[in-house]
Amino acid sequence: MDQRVFWVFASAVCLLSLTVHSSSGQTYPLTDEGGLGRVFDGIGGLSGGGATSRLLVNYAEPYRSQILDYLFKPNFGASLHILKVEIGGDAQTTDGTEPSHMHYENDENFFRGYEWWLMKEAKKRNPNITLIALPWAFPGWVGRGKNWPYDFPDVTAAYVVNWVIGAKKYHDLDIQYIGIWNERSFNSKYIKVLRNMLDSVGLTDVGIVAADGDWSVAKSLIADPHLNDSVQVIGAHYPGTTTVPEALTTKKKLWSSEDYSTFNDDVGGGCWARILNQNYVNGQMTATISWNLVASYYQELPFGRDGLMTAQEPWSGNYVVESPIWITAHSTQFTQPGWTYLQTVGHFAQGGSYVALTDGNGNLTVVIETMTHDHSICIRPPLPPFNVTSQNATFQLKGSFASIKELQVWRSHFDLKAKKHSLFEKLPPVKLVGGSFTLNLAEDEVYTLTTIRTGQKGSFPEPPPSARFPKAYKDNFDTRNPPFSEAPNFADQTGVFEYYINLTDPGPHAFTLRQVVTERPITWATDADQTVTVIGDYQWQNMMVTCDVFMENVQSGGVFVAARVDKGGQSVRSAKGVFFWVFADGSYKVTNDLAGQSVLAEGQSGTRPFDWHNLSLSVKGQSASGMLDGRQLWNVTGVSSPKNGWAAIGTHSFELAQFDNFNVLAE
């Protein structure tokens, strides 16, 4: 029996002891004799950028808490050290919009959205979790008429600081870091203003991550001492495990503040394993944050299933604990922020990498990955060619680690040919002789060897089976104290649709869903000119969508119901479908697109603002028809595309409008 077979099966016979030194292979020292490396800041997940946790909040218990445990509970699953969230800006930021705490300049509400709830749930499980926030977008008023947030840095800084203060005042949440929006360029004046404003209100402990985009800020930090003093962390997005000399020269913390963004199959797990190690080995980055935390948005939106796990069916309760959860556990369950990397980390002679960290009190954790190129490709950036082959690796512990006699062993192995994977399995401890042990490393493996004994592969009973969105669905929005500001399962794509209580109308429409964004936001993605929220099953073809609508814009108001909406997220501007519009001027229109350019029918409807109207849209095969207030208004044929898509409601522009008694019936 060769050494590798012995490794896998020895637990059935005796404790594993790898003390035989191979005659081939390399020896790798693990020591603190020459000093230590950088301080480890943690591994995390990102909720936002945009609306990536949208469906999570709609899960019933116990499934919602189980998902949260897999993400945040220490010594259970991913056991994340960091949670980064979006400061909602009312704008499309990848897969949807998240509501701002200030829709308008004189408006404040710190209970909109679900990020407050998510941060509190994370803190319940891990009181020491690091909380980071970043605005991807801003309400339009912040720019004073410009699609740029930094021409008035005092306004933008006050908006962000207000959010940080509200987090503490209303939710007892201490935000440790604020990121600087940097999709086009960072603004040094704004960074200084933000730093001064944070300090002036006593938030001196809140660090700034700049530019939360790329490494270009490093040169400016070197040239500008005031700017350098304002920034605590240089954050890069998708750095490809490498940094630049200028970033290292600053001696700042270096983070991969957004990374991964890859389909969470086994190749995605391999991507995550490789970059978690090599972000430090190659780039000296001491934190890596996954976009996104949990794939909890409709899968047909951009970057479907790009989370550490999948939870996109609140209607069924089904969720999937994907391989990145257990890859994360290899590091997070056996290290903590504040541990320190050894200087003796690096690459293996025949491919792969290893890192080692210590808590300074005698504990040691070593994480090894041997992911091959084709089994560890991330979505970005392009991955240069490299080779990994099976190899023997001998580790020699020296310095304060020389007296360690035994290490706990956890192993994951991706067998992509046989589709038989072993994820985060505890193996018998390895015994060290003379401070040394040897491993036979195969391709596509992850090992953790550690003095820490508290690791656990947590589990719950299997969740309910996967199921399609219900074909009959309705919501009258009659919720007096909604737990969240958004109605269940509606995924806002442009605009923000919130529960609304009409205090002047005690009648049947006292509780409605209202579109509240009245000005185009400042955003790096492209909002549509129309607001829209989608719901349902993307595979739906034949359906009837019914909703009561109420226009509040006298001059140019308009609302719609829609079927077969085929796009959302960053592509929402080009969405096709069947859209039934009515307008405040008494007209109607039927279009094949959200932009309203491909007209199928139009005419007079008699609709007017500040009156409730009932719209009903029926689509079957290539035929579509619409009813207004119980009478048929139009009928068209030849609707050949799109073949399928979501149901939707929305408005003609950024305008106030209300919706009630939504109903969809699909075949």
Side-chain angles (χ1 to χ4, degrees), residues 140-325:
W141 65 266
V142 171
R144 296 290 195 261
K146 297 182 179 181
N147 189 41
W148 183 242
Y150 299 135
D151 285 348
F152 303 92
D154 289 344
V155 175
T156 305
Y159 170 83
V160 172
V161 172
N162 191 32
W163 186 92
V164 179
I165 293 172
K168 181 63 174 178
K169 180 178 179 180
Y170 296 99
H171 302 284
D172 196 27
L173 292 168
D174 293 303
I175 307 301
Q176 279 104 325
Y177 293 93
I178 291 292
I180 305 298
W181 183 63
N182 182 44
E183 289 298 332
R184 283 183 274 178
S185 67
F186 71 90
N187 184 288
S188 59
K189 182 178 180 181
Y190 168 70
I191 293 172
K192 296 174 187 176
V193 170
L194 177 60
R195 178 72 272 158
N196 290 338
M197 195 172 292
L198 287 167
D199 292 347
S200 69
V201 295
L203 295 172
T204 55
D205 291 337
V206 177
I208 291 178
V209 182
D212 221 335
D214 58 32
W215 301 118
S216 60
V217 71
K219 290 182 179 179
S220 299
L221 296 181
I222 294 169
D224 185 340
H226 185 191
L227 181 65
N228 185 71
D229 291 343
S230 300
V231 172
Q232 284 64 53
V233 179
I234 302 179
H237 292 188
Y238 310 99
T241 76
T242 62
T243 186
V244 296
E246 293 85 357
L248 293 167
T249 299
T250 68
K251 300 190 183 304
K252 297 285 185 185
K253 292 176 179 288
L254 307 181
W255 290 358
S256 178
S257 54
E258 183 178 325
D259 216 329
Y260 179 63
S261 186
T262 297
F263 193 79
N264 60 20
D265 60 6
D266 297 319
V267 172
C271 152
W272 189 231
R274 178 175 54 79
I275 65 177
L276 284 182
N277 264 24
Q278 296 194 27
N279 274 348
Y280 186 77
V281 171
N282 300 338
Q284 296 287 288
M285 286 167 269
T286 55
T288 298
I289 301 173
S290 165
W291 188 90
N292 50 68
L293 171 73
V294 52
S296 204
Y297 46 99
Y298 290 114
Q299 187 167 328
E300 294 82 5
L301 290 168
F303 306 100
R305 262 187 65 185
D306 278 16
L308 296 178
M309 63 180 291
T310 304
Q312 57 192 21
E313 290 186 16
W315 47 87
S316 73
N318 180 260
Y319 62 85
V320 185
V321 183
E322 312 282 3
S323 62
I325 290 290

Side-chain angles (χ1 to χ4, degrees), residues 59-70 121 125 460:
Y59 270 80
E61 295 294 350
Y63 310 116
R64 190 173 70 178
S65 288
Q66 291 174 4
I67 296 164
L68 294 166
D69 283 353
Y70 278 118
E121 291 295 323
R125 289 160 174 81
F460 290 108

Side-chain angles (χ1 to χ4, degrees), residues 16-36:
L16 177 66
S17 177
L18 294 181
T19 58
V20 179
H21 291 256
S22 172
S23 58
S24 61
Q26 298 284 324
T27 297
Y28 304 92
L30 298 174
T31 182
D32 55 0
E33 288 175 327
L36 295 171

Side-chain angles (χ1 to χ4, degrees), residues 449-631:
L449 297 104
T450 180
T451 55
I452 301 297
R453 297 175 176 271
T454 53
Q456 178 190 4
K457 187 172 184 179
S459 65
F460 290 108
E462 283 295 309
S466 176
R468 310 296 306 194
F469 194 96
K471 291 183 177 181
Y473 185 86
K474 60 184 178 180
D475 194 336
N476 61 12
F477 312 121
D478 291 355
T479 307
R480 290 187 177 273
N481 296 296
F484 301 101
S485 56
E486 303 99 325
N489 304 319
F490 282 90
D492 301 347
Q493 299 302 304
T494 297
V496 173
F497 295 74
E498 296 180 346
Y499 280 115
Y500 178 67
I501 301 177
N502 190 340
L503 298 177
T504 63
D505 181 3
H509 298 297
F511 298 88
T512 66
L513 195 67
R514 193 187 201 197
Q515 200 295 116
V516 297
V517 179
T518 58
E519 182 181 5
R520 179 176 291 280
I522 301 168
T523 177
W524 60 271
T526 307
D527 283 87
D529 296 318
Q530 308 75 19
T531 74
V532 56
T533 183
V534 302
I535 190 170
D537 190 329
Y538 187 81
Q539 301 306 319
W540 281 346
Q541 297 181 347
N542 301 327
M543 70 186 94
M544 177 179 287
V545 184
T546 304
C547 193
D548 295 337
V549 298
F550 184 87
M551 292 173 278
E552 300 181 56
N553 188 327
V554 176
Q555 299 298 322
S556 58
V559 295
F560 67 81
V561 297
R564 295 183 185 170
V565 178
D566 70 342
K567 290 180 184 174
Q570 296 166 301
S571 305
V572 68
R573 286 182 68 86
S574 59
K576 307 295 184 186
V578 180
F579 296 83
F580 176 17
W581 312 74
V582 294
F583 299 97
D585 66 1
S587 65
Y588 79 90
K589 186 165 63 172
V590 184
T591 69
N592 211 177
D593 61 337
L594 176 63
Q597 302 302 307
S598 178
V599 179
L600 301 174
E602 57 186 335
Q604 293 301 305
S605 63
T607 52
R608 57 186 183 179
F610 299 104
D611 257 356
W612 281 98
H613 298 282
N614 178 265
L615 299 185
S616 182
L617 167 65
S618 179
V619 182
K620 187 169 185 177
Q622 295 192 21
S623 299
S625 61
M627 298 181 70
L628 172 66
D629 297 329
R631 61 183 176 89

